[in-house]
Amino acid sequence: MLIQAITPNTTYEFAADVRAGLTKPGQKELLSKYLYDDVGSAIFEVISHLPEYGLTRADERLLRRHAHDIVDRLATPVSVAELGSGSGRKTRHILEALCRRQRTTYYPIEISPSALAMCERELRDIESISILGFEREYLDGLLEVAAHRSTGQHLLVLFLGSTIGNFDRPAGIKFLGEVRRILQPGDSLLLGTDLEKSSVQLLAAYDDELGVTAAFNLNLLARINRELGATFDLSQFEHVARINHETRSVEMHLRSMRRQTVAIDAAELSVEFIEGETIWTESSHKYSLPEVVSLAHTAGFRCAAQWVDDQWPFAENLLIAE
Ligand code: AVJ
C-alpha cells in the first residue's frame, strides 16, 4: 500500500492539548483521540472481544450479513474512503462485495501508522482492489481523497464502529455537515451508531470484569508519562464508567484516589488533584433510529436505509448526500 504521510500529531500539539484539558476550570478533561496510541489500539482490539462489549461484533455482523444489499444501493462507479480504518476486518465484507462488481480503490484515513499498516495487511489479498492510505486527521484525509477523484466517480465514506459517539450531539451534527460539504450529491456515507440500551448493559460494557477497559483508560496516563515525561502514579487513579442520562452517553473518567500533584514536563505544568476528583476522558453517545434519520437530514443527507443487529442494539445507516 502506498501511504501518504505527514506528521499530524506532534508532541507539541499533544502537550498543548493536555495542558488545555488539565487546566480547565471545573471538570478536567483529556481528548479521547489520545486513547489510541499503539498500546491503546491494541487494548481496544481486546475490548472488542469481551462478552460484555457487543458493539464491534454487532457492527461486523451487520456488514457481513448486509454487504450486498448495501452495495446494491450505491451509485457506481464508486471509490471507498474510511474514516478510522482500525484493523480493516469488518470493512472486508463491503470491499469484497464491491470488488465483485468493479475494480475498487480503497482509501483508509487514519492517524495511526500501525493501524494503517495492519489494515493493508488484512485487506490486500482482495481481488481487484487498490489501497491508498492517508495518515491524516479525518477531514484532512477526506479532502485529499475527494481531490483525487475523477469525474463521474462516486464516493462511499465509511464511518463505522460508532466512532461518531465520541462527539457530543451538536459536534456530531457539525462533523457530518463537514463530511457532507466535501461530498457531491449522490455520494454516500455508511454510518455505524450504537443504540440506546439499559444502564446495566452499558455499565458492564464500559467497566468490564477483567479490567480491560480500565487498562485502556489508564493507558492514557501511561502515555502522557511516556511521551510527555509526566509523573502520573497509575496506582493512584481508578477507572470510572458513568451514565449521563441528560446527554444519553456513557462517560469514562479517571478518578484521583487521593490528594496529589502531578508534574508534566513537556507541558511545563504541575497539576493538583483533590481526592475523588476526576479527569473526563471519553463519552460514548447512544442513539435512537429516528434520531439518526433527523440528524442525517440536518447535515444534508437522506437516510436511505437502516439495518439493526438482532443481538446487540446497533445500527448501520446508509446516508445519501442530497
Ligand atoms: C471505539 C469509540 C466506539 O465508545 O464504545 C470502548 C471506545 N471506550 N470502550 C466506544 C470505547 C471504551 C468505543 N468507540
Side-chain angles (χ1 to χ4, degrees), residues 8-30:
N9 267 308
T10 60
T11 303
Y12 177 82
E13 267 179 24
F14 184 29
D17 286 341
V18 166
R19 166 178 260 286
L22 295 185
T23 56
K24 265 206 168 152
Q27 176 71 64
K28 292 181 170 69
E29 68 177 72
L30 290 167

Side-chain angles (χ1 to χ4, degrees), residues 2 35 40 137 227:
L2 271 162
L35 290 165
E137 300 273 347
E227 296 182 23

Side-chain angles (χ1 to χ4, degrees), residues 59-259:
D59 195 15
E60 190 186 349
R61 239 181 340 261
L62 286 168
L63 295 173
R64 193 178 53 230
R65 287 189 185 155
H66 304 293
H68 287 281
D69 191 6
I70 293 169
V71 160
D72 278 342
R73 293 164 189 262
L74 303 176
T76 52
V78 64
S79 302
V80 180
E82 180 164 19
L83 310 179
S85 60
S87 74
R89 199 193 316 127
K90 52 195 176 185
T91 313
R92 163 176 292 275
H93 308 296
I94 296 289
L95 293 174
E96 280 181 345
L98 254 180
C99 284
R100 220 161 286 162
R101 292 155 214 228
Q102 52 153 70
R103 269 213 76 83
T104 304
T105 307
Y106 170 55
Y107 304 97
I109 300 165
E110 174 63 67
I111 49 172
S112 155
S114 59
L116 269 184
M118 202 202 303
C119 121
E120 110 102 343
R121 271 197 308 278
E122 172 78 22
L123 299 170
R124 67 180 158 206
D125 67 294
I126 298 174
E127 221 175 294
S128 304
I129 198 168
S130 317
I131 305 180
L132 177 58
F134 285 91
E135 194 183 321
R136 297 279 197 290
E137 300 273 347
Y138 296 152
L139 294 173
D140 294 341
L142 193 55
L143 271 170
E144 285 213 42
V145 169
H148 270 75
R149 77 154 97 192
S150 39
T151 38
Q153 188 79 16
H154 284 283
L155 263 184
L156 165 65
V157 177
L158 305 177
F159 196 30
L160 306 175
S162 203
T163 305
I164 182 128
N166 284 164
F167 293 112
D168 63 30
R169 285 167 211 274
I173 293 178
K174 179 163 176 270
F175 182 80
L176 291 185
E178 277 160 351
V179 169
R180 169 62 192 89
R181 274 192 288 286
I182 299 172
L183 299 180
Q184 289 171 6
D187 288 346
S188 43
L189 170 64
L190 187 64
L191 179 69
T193 50
D194 201 23
L195 301 176
E196 290 170 312
K197 47 187 67 65
S198 78
S199 298
V200 173
Q201 209 176 357
L202 284 177
L203 287 173
Y206 290 86
D207 191 6
D208 62 277
E209 286 255 72
L210 264 177
V212 182
T213 308
F216 175 66
N217 200 5
L218 282 162
N219 173 57
L220 184 46
L221 302 184
R223 178 181 184 182
I224 295 171
N225 285 349
R226 287 190 294 269
E227 296 182 23
L228 303 180
T231 61
F232 280 106
D233 177 351
L234 269 58
S235 71
Q236 296 305 321
F237 286 86
E238 63 184 355
H239 167 70
V240 181
R242 327 182 158 137
I243 311 282
N244 186 329
H245 292 283
E246 216 167 290
T247 57
R248 284 176 291 139
S249 66
V250 188
E251 295 178 358
M252 293 204 311
H253 291 255
L254 290 161
R255 181 193 283 141
S256 174
M257 292 159 71
R258 59 172 168 84
R259 181 183 187 89

